[in-house]
Amino acid sequence: MGSTSSTLLKIPNVEELVQETGFSPAHIIRLYDRFKVLDKEGRGHLCPQDFGAIKELAMNPIRDRIISAFFSPGKETVDFNTFVRILAHFRPVDKDRPKDPNSPEPINSRSNKLKFAFQLYDQDKDGKISRDELLKVLRDMLGMQVTEEQLESIADRTIQEADLDRDDAISFEEFRKSLEKVNIDHKMSIRFLR
Amino acid sequence: MSNSTYLCLRAVFLVCFIHPLIQGLSADANVVQSPRHRLEPNLTGLPIVTFEWHHVQTPYLVIIWVFVAALAKLSVIELNHHVTSVIPESGMLIIVGFILGGMVWGADKAQTFKLLPATFFFYLLPQIILDASYFMPNKLFFSNLGAILIYAIFGTCWNAAAVGLSLWGCYEAGVMGNLDIGLLQFLLFGSLIAAVDPVAVIAVFEEVHVNEVLFILVFGESLLNDGVTVVLYNVFDAFVALGGPRIDATEIFKGIFSFVVVAFGGSFLGVAFAILLSLLTRCTKHIQIIEAGFVFVVGYLAYLTADMLSLSAILSITFCGVCCQKYVNANMDEKSVTTVRHAMKVLANGSETMIFLFLGITAVDTEIWVWNTGFILLTLLFMIVYRIIGVFLFTWLLNKFRLVPIEVIDQVVMSYGGLRGAVAYGLAAMLDKDKIPEKNLMISTTLIVVYFTVIIQGITMKPLVQWLKVKRAAHSDLKLVEKLNNRAFDHILAAVEDICGRIGDNWWTRGWNRFEEKYICRILMKPKARKNKDYLFNVFHKLNLEDAMNYVSEGERQGSLAFIRSDEAANIDFKKQYGSEFADVMPDIMVDMSNYEFGIENVSVTSIVKDTIPSISRNIHGQDRKNAVDDINAHHVLQQHLYRSRKHHRHKYSRSHFGINQSEDEVQEIFQRTMRSRLESFKSAKTGVNPAKKITKHHKKELTHQIPNGHPEGKDHLYGDEVDSAVGSETGAVNSTFMRDTYTSGAGIENPAFMPDMDSPIHSPPWLMETEMDMAVAPSQRAQRRLPWTPNRLRRLAPMRISTCSTDSFLMADVSLTLEEHEEQPQGDNEDIRPVFE
């Protein structure tokens, strides 16, 4: 892995990144190694093809959505800092960390985790999950198991459940309300190796 | 060592078979076996009735005790709410047991009834374990399996060793006075007192409603560590039999090895039986009535086989239940699933009641009580202290690796939830008096420990949980949006793990899921069930069923559901209110309900719905048709091929069939008739000769027109085959496919109202005639609107009249219209088929 400090030196704005994401330097180094593996040509940034090359990912039904979540709109590449920032969504919420009311909301907060999930549905970025958008996700996830009509009914029903203002779409607020009882911290966190 | 396990087993068998179920009833075994010879030899005349107590004594006493136990449970539950909310049911039952035991003792001056280990291990325990494992929330269980195993294996070993060694140390220090116990006996005692008892844990924790992770940790541990204790017990029992000096390193090594073999062997045996069970239920399509029994029989077989091989029987039946549930529930008919569920609960609840009651009764016996203050109090103390230390120690280790650490409060509840129960007592009672002189002291200590944990800790558990503000189980309604998002979250996490390039929990789950889907399901599940098992869809379906139930009850509240059939306004409302999803429900009624979460209450809903469906809904208001032609096709085809099924109302008395269904013969008949008519029309098409049967002119025309133009016979055959298969499967069977179109399959119903129409050369629409005749069936709006039943349309449709019974899409929802007629038929309508083409 090389010496810790030398690897860290290669990463621009490390301290800021640590501060912002809550990852420890050890985490960052590990992620940096991974980043370099993914970045086969050593350009210092990743493009969608690099993600597409991860072969375990190929089986994931909503792969494309997740990959595109790494790229801000209009951009074709993602640099290391953004990469880490996106992954930081999935850090478990740390309880012992002192809560500073002045500091900005941490990336791994509940609502940020939810926002990440929400934007996977909301492909046209209008702040609402429309029926069509939901249907597409459903089609991806359920695949051949159910018929198209059943998919539609499921989509309708899902929207009915969450839709509070009866506009046949799920806004982020409605999305959050509908998942109030779900333990997002558990469901949207993974353990990062240090 | 293995010799002694054999001995132990043999003892168990001896106790089981030679001893009667309840002590003191050993007399008259031969009388029971030879009922013919029970008349007195010096009979002078023919007795009208005789009193044959000895003849029925054993089973009679058993059943009386079962009855008493049930009454005890009833009285405990119906008791004053202030009492029941304080004392858990298990504790109450023990107390009732004290009272009953006192009565018996007062009458007999000795305890004639007590819980024998053999009775307990062979007749009372298996169904409880099977029930617990069969309804285990699998996902939760397996995702916490690591923690559970750590607690169950290492925690139990730690407890056994620590309690045994500490007691021995205190004994050596002279606290207990003069006892005839050595180190090994202490360890043996430690091993039997170490295990948390699943029966007691379920009984107490079910009333407390702690959060699911905490519950699964305590419960899973209690379930698995029983296996571990029994193994430990056997090993130490063997050591005791061997005697101190002869135990060397090899023997100890062999002990450890046997521990591993017994525990894992038992588990694998259980998995093997689970596979057997799943395979069995795959091919019980035609004997659905007994398939529910397989679950119990095979489960019990797993238990006994493991015991025979001196493997861990409890682990065997546990893994049998845990592994088979998914496939068995998917394979079996929904009714059988319900049956299993209820029967299992009845059995498990019954034996749980018996166990606690007899734990109480057993205590009222002067014979077993040996008091040794030091021994008993120290056991209690060590048991509690080491449990707490063990839990905190292992949790501390586990928390280093857990994504969601186990909180301190949860740890407190876990350590306090270490309830001991009947397994410990059963093991203590199985001790060999010759090898362990202080057996009675051990039994009485075990009983004290059991009473203390079940009653005292049971009572204080609820206040403790409230006081500590332990996270309770969130009682939320099932929501599709939650389930959908959970699915999405799983995928997201998996993807992120892939991107991070680490092999984590999600990786393993995913890999396993894929493997299971690809291979295991293929082998163990019926193809049809495999198709329908998507969890999300099942949730959706279940929600719809609930809606349907509400709809029905609402309709019934308003008076009658007849409005569904006749009142247009109601129809429109109906569609608006429930949207398309309700229309969806009906055909899907037969969906396999397997993935539903455990809990009985859901089932009743579905089964009721299932019964209600035929009378209320025929999918009249289905979604918009794909095209209008289908609509007319359906009418047309039906008109041509209506068939009156002979209802067999045999379900009241038949032992093997619930369903009202046509027999195979009938199916054959439908098939043959369809084929015949097809053949005839084909013939007529070829030769131009009028067939003997009257087929309306239009059809002749169109057939001449169409059939030669490339509608190969092959196609007909294809449909013909389908007739067989579609009708052959019971309407209520799990395996009917999801598509709403299929609900109509194979109903084989003839609508007499359509009959006269067949002969009339002019095709006036059948529904008009109906209304004129004031039949109960009102045409749907849509149907009335679409009157153009013109010959040239018919011509287009002609080739469609292939089969009444196939599940083709052109048989769309409007079949419902005619199906209504079915309702109007007088019951017990056993007429022969009315040939349609005459």
PDB file of all heavy atoms in Angstrom, chain B residues 543-560:
ATOM      1  N   LEU B 543     -51.775  -7.040  -0.307  1.00  0.00           N
ATOM      2  CA  LEU B 543     -52.453  -5.770  -0.040  1.00  0.00           C
ATOM      3  C   LEU B 543     -53.780  -5.712  -0.772  1.00  0.00           C
ATOM      4  O   LEU B 543     -54.795  -5.261  -0.235  1.00  0.00           O
ATOM      5  CB  LEU B 543     -51.568  -4.612  -0.493  1.00  0.00           C
ATOM      6  CG  LEU B 543     -50.387  -4.344   0.412  1.00  0.00           C
ATOM      7  CD1 LEU B 543     -49.399  -3.440  -0.279  1.00  0.00           C
ATOM      8  CD2 LEU B 543     -50.865  -3.714   1.697  1.00  0.00           C
ATOM      9  N   ASN B 544     -53.776  -6.198  -1.989  1.00  0.00           N
ATOM     10  CA  ASN B 544     -55.008  -6.190  -2.759  1.00  0.00           C
ATOM     11  C   ASN B 544     -56.052  -7.066  -2.122  1.00  0.00           C
ATOM     12  O   ASN B 544     -57.235  -6.748  -2.120  1.00  0.00           O
ATOM     13  CB  ASN B 544     -54.730  -6.660  -4.183  1.00  0.00           C
ATOM     14  CG  ASN B 544     -54.104  -5.562  -4.986  1.00  0.00           C
ATOM     15  OD1 ASN B 544     -54.275  -4.394  -4.659  1.00  0.00           O
ATOM     16  ND2 ASN B 544     -53.368  -5.922  -6.001  1.00  0.00           N
ATOM     17  N   LEU B 545     -55.595  -8.196  -1.587  1.00  0.00           N
ATOM     18  CA  LEU B 545     -56.543  -9.075  -0.919  1.00  0.00           C
ATOM     19  C   LEU B 545     -57.182  -8.363   0.256  1.00  0.00           C
ATOM     20  O   LEU B 545     -58.381  -8.477   0.490  1.00  0.00           O
ATOM     21  CB  LEU B 545     -55.830 -10.328  -0.427  1.00  0.00           C
ATOM     22  CG  LEU B 545     -55.543 -11.360  -1.484  1.00  0.00           C
ATOM     23  CD1 LEU B 545     -54.774 -12.504  -0.887  1.00  0.00           C
ATOM     24  CD2 LEU B 545     -56.832 -11.859  -2.081  1.00  0.00           C
ATOM     25  N   GLU B 546     -56.373  -7.620   0.965  1.00  0.00           N
ATOM     26  CA  GLU B 546     -56.933  -6.892   2.094  1.00  0.00           C
ATOM     27  C   GLU B 546     -57.988  -5.911   1.610  1.00  0.00           C
ATOM     28  O   GLU B 546     -59.071  -5.796   2.189  1.00  0.00           O
ATOM     29  CB  GLU B 546     -55.831  -6.138   2.833  1.00  0.00           C
ATOM     30  CG  GLU B 546     -55.151  -6.977   3.883  1.00  0.00           C
ATOM     31  CD  GLU B 546     -53.890  -6.330   4.394  1.00  0.00           C
ATOM     32  OE1 GLU B 546     -53.781  -5.086   4.312  1.00  0.00           O
ATOM     33  OE2 GLU B 546     -53.017  -7.067   4.867  1.00  0.00           O
ATOM     34  N   ASP B 547     -57.648  -5.221   0.552  1.00  0.00           N
ATOM     35  CA  ASP B 547     -58.616  -4.286  -0.010  1.00  0.00           C
ATOM     36  C   ASP B 547     -59.890  -5.004  -0.404  1.00  0.00           C
ATOM     37  O   ASP B 547     -60.994  -4.520  -0.153  1.00  0.00           O
ATOM     38  CB  ASP B 547     -58.024  -3.594  -1.244  1.00  0.00           C
ATOM     39  CG  ASP B 547     -57.054  -2.512  -0.848  1.00  0.00           C
ATOM     40  OD1 ASP B 547     -56.945  -2.265   0.368  1.00  0.00           O
ATOM     41  OD2 ASP B 547     -56.412  -1.924  -1.722  1.00  0.00           O
ATOM     42  N   ALA B 548     -59.705  -6.147  -1.020  1.00  0.00           N
ATOM     43  CA  ALA B 548     -60.874  -6.896  -1.457  1.00  0.00           C
ATOM     44  C   ALA B 548     -61.722  -7.279  -0.266  1.00  0.00           C
ATOM     45  O   ALA B 548     -62.953  -7.189  -0.296  1.00  0.00           O
ATOM     46  CB  ALA B 548     -60.438  -8.142  -2.224  1.00  0.00           C
ATOM     47  N   MET B 549     -61.058  -7.687   0.792  1.00  0.00           N
ATOM     48  CA  MET B 549     -61.795  -8.037   1.999  1.00  0.00           C
ATOM     49  C   MET B 549     -62.593  -6.845   2.507  1.00  0.00           C
ATOM     50  O   MET B 549     -63.766  -6.970   2.857  1.00  0.00           O
ATOM     51  CB  MET B 549     -60.828  -8.489   3.093  1.00  0.00           C
ATOM     52  CG  MET B 549     -60.378  -9.899   2.986  1.00  0.00           C
ATOM     53  SD  MET B 549     -61.741 -11.023   2.946  1.00  0.00           S
ATOM     54  CE  MET B 549     -62.379 -10.776   4.603  1.00  0.00           C
ATOM     55  N   ASN B 550     -61.926  -5.714   2.533  1.00  0.00           N
ATOM     56  CA  ASN B 550     -62.622  -4.520   2.999  1.00  0.00           C
ATOM     57  C   ASN B 550     -63.811  -4.223   2.111  1.00  0.00           C
ATOM     58  O   ASN B 550     -64.880  -3.830   2.582  1.00  0.00           O
ATOM     59  CB  ASN B 550     -61.677  -3.311   2.985  1.00  0.00           C
ATOM     60  CG  ASN B 550     -60.612  -3.457   4.023  1.00  0.00           C
ATOM     61  OD1 ASN B 550     -60.795  -4.191   4.989  1.00  0.00           O
ATOM     62  ND2 ASN B 550     -59.489  -2.792   3.817  1.00  0.00           N
ATOM     63  N   TYR B 551     -63.574  -4.423   0.855  1.00  0.00           N
ATOM     64  CA  TYR B 551     -64.629  -4.144  -0.092  1.00  0.00           C
ATOM     65  C   TYR B 551     -65.826  -5.042   0.174  1.00  0.00           C
ATOM     66  O   TYR B 551     -66.964  -4.590   0.202  1.00  0.00           O
ATOM     67  CB  TYR B 551     -64.103  -4.350  -1.507  1.00  0.00           C
ATOM     68  CG  TYR B 551     -65.128  -4.051  -2.551  1.00  0.00           C
ATOM     69  CD1 TYR B 551     -65.532  -2.741  -2.761  1.00  0.00           C
ATOM     70  CD2 TYR B 551     -65.687  -5.058  -3.295  1.00  0.00           C
ATOM     71  CE1 TYR B 551     -66.480  -2.456  -3.704  1.00  0.00           C
ATOM     72  CE2 TYR B 551     -66.630  -4.776  -4.239  1.00  0.00           C
ATOM     73  CZ  TYR B 551     -67.035  -3.480  -4.444  1.00  0.00           C
ATOM     74  OH  TYR B 551     -67.978  -3.190  -5.370  1.00  0.00           O
ATOM     75  N   VAL B 552     -65.531  -6.299   0.391  1.00  0.00           N
ATOM     76  CA  VAL B 552     -66.609  -7.241   0.633  1.00  0.00           C
ATOM     77  C   VAL B 552     -67.354  -6.881   1.905  1.00  0.00           C
ATOM     78  O   VAL B 552     -68.588  -6.831   1.937  1.00  0.00           O
ATOM     79  CB  VAL B 552     -66.049  -8.668   0.730  1.00  0.00           C
ATOM     80  CG1 VAL B 552     -67.109  -9.617   1.228  1.00  0.00           C
ATOM     81  CG2 VAL B 552     -65.536  -9.100  -0.615  1.00  0.00           C
ATOM     82  N   SER B 553     -66.605  -6.586   2.945  1.00  0.00           N
ATOM     83  CA  SER B 553     -67.298  -6.308   4.205  1.00  0.00           C
ATOM     84  C   SER B 553     -68.102  -5.012   4.078  1.00  0.00           C
ATOM     85  O   SER B 553     -69.198  -4.900   4.627  1.00  0.00           O
ATOM     86  CB  SER B 553     -66.319  -6.243   5.362  1.00  0.00           C
ATOM     87  OG  SER B 553     -65.272  -5.382   5.038  1.00  0.00           O
ATOM     88  N   GLU B 554     -67.541  -4.081   3.333  1.00  0.00           N
ATOM     89  CA  GLU B 554     -68.279  -2.841   3.121  1.00  0.00           C
ATOM     90  C   GLU B 554     -69.574  -3.135   2.360  1.00  0.00           C
ATOM     91  O   GLU B 554     -70.651  -2.653   2.723  1.00  0.00           O
ATOM     92  CB  GLU B 554     -67.397  -1.858   2.336  1.00  0.00           C
ATOM     93  CG  GLU B 554     -68.053  -0.536   2.008  1.00  0.00           C
ATOM     94  CD  GLU B 554     -68.377   0.269   3.246  1.00  0.00           C
ATOM     95  OE1 GLU B 554     -67.767  -0.005   4.300  1.00  0.00           O
ATOM     96  OE2 GLU B 554     -69.266   1.144   3.169  1.00  0.00           O
ATOM     97  N   GLY B 555     -69.433  -3.943   1.332  1.00  0.00           N
ATOM     98  CA  GLY B 555     -70.608  -4.294   0.550  1.00  0.00           C
ATOM     99  C   GLY B 555     -71.640  -5.003   1.390  1.00  0.00           C
ATOM    100  O   GLY B 555     -72.837  -4.728   1.312  1.00  0.00           O
ATOM    101  N   GLU B 556     -71.177  -5.875   2.239  1.00  0.00           N
ATOM    102  CA  GLU B 556     -72.117  -6.632   3.053  1.00  0.00           C
ATOM    103  C   GLU B 556     -72.768  -5.741   4.098  1.00  0.00           C
ATOM    104  O   GLU B 556     -73.901  -5.956   4.490  1.00  0.00           O
ATOM    105  CB  GLU B 556     -71.405  -7.811   3.710  1.00  0.00           C
ATOM    106  CG  GLU B 556     -71.337  -8.985   2.764  1.00  0.00           C
ATOM    107  CD  GLU B 556     -70.412 -10.062   3.257  1.00  0.00           C
ATOM    108  OE1 GLU B 556     -69.738  -9.839   4.285  1.00  0.00           O
ATOM    109  OE2 GLU B 556     -70.353 -11.109   2.600  1.00  0.00           O
ATOM    110  N   ARG B 557     -71.997  -4.767   4.524  1.00  0.00           N
ATOM    111  CA  ARG B 557     -72.567  -3.846   5.487  1.00  0.00           C
ATOM    112  C   ARG B 557     -73.726  -3.091   4.845  1.00  0.00           C
ATOM    113  O   ARG B 557     -74.741  -2.802   5.466  1.00  0.00           O
ATOM    114  CB  ARG B 557     -71.499  -2.872   5.964  1.00  0.00           C
ATOM    115  CG  ARG B 557     -71.794  -2.187   7.287  1.00  0.00           C
ATOM    116  CD  ARG B 557     -70.611  -1.339   7.683  1.00  0.00           C
ATOM    117  NE  ARG B 557     -70.313  -0.332   6.671  1.00  0.00           N
ATOM    118  CZ  ARG B 557     -70.984   0.806   6.532  1.00  0.00           C
ATOM    119  NH1 ARG B 557     -71.975   1.081   7.324  1.00  0.00           N
ATOM    120  NH2 ARG B 557     -70.654   1.666   5.591  1.00  0.00           N
ATOM    121  N   GLN B 558     -73.558  -2.774   3.581  1.00  0.00           N
ATOM    122  CA  GLN B 558     -74.600  -2.024   2.900  1.00  0.00           C
ATOM    123  C   GLN B 558     -75.774  -2.898   2.521  1.00  0.00           C
ATOM    124  O   GLN B 558     -76.754  -2.424   1.974  1.00  0.00           O
ATOM    125  CB  GLN B 558     -74.039  -1.362   1.652  1.00  0.00           C
ATOM    126  CG  GLN B 558     -73.172  -0.165   1.980  1.00  0.00           C
ATOM    127  CD  GLN B 558     -72.515   0.390   0.765  1.00  0.00           C
ATOM    128  OE1 GLN B 558     -72.788  -0.035  -0.352  1.00  0.00           O
ATOM    129  NE2 GLN B 558     -71.624   1.343   0.962  1.00  0.00           N
ATOM    130  N   GLY B 559     -75.653  -4.164   2.738  1.00  0.00           N
ATOM    131  CA  GLY B 559     -76.783  -5.032   2.473  1.00  0.00           C
ATOM    132  C   GLY B 559     -76.391  -6.216   1.639  1.00  0.00           C
ATOM    133  O   GLY B 559     -76.317  -7.321   2.114  1.00  0.00           O
ATOM    134  N   SER B 560     -76.062  -5.953   0.423  1.00  0.00           N
ATOM    135  CA  SER B 560     -75.805  -7.090  -0.429  1.00  0.00           C
ATOM    136  C   SER B 560     -74.750  -6.702  -1.448  1.00  0.00           C
ATOM    137  O   SER B 560     -74.534  -5.536  -1.724  1.00  0.00           O
ATOM    138  CB  SER B 560     -77.084  -7.508  -1.134  1.00  0.00           C
ATOM    139  OG  SER B 560     -76.767  -8.045  -2.380  1.00  0.00           O
TER     140      SER B 560
END
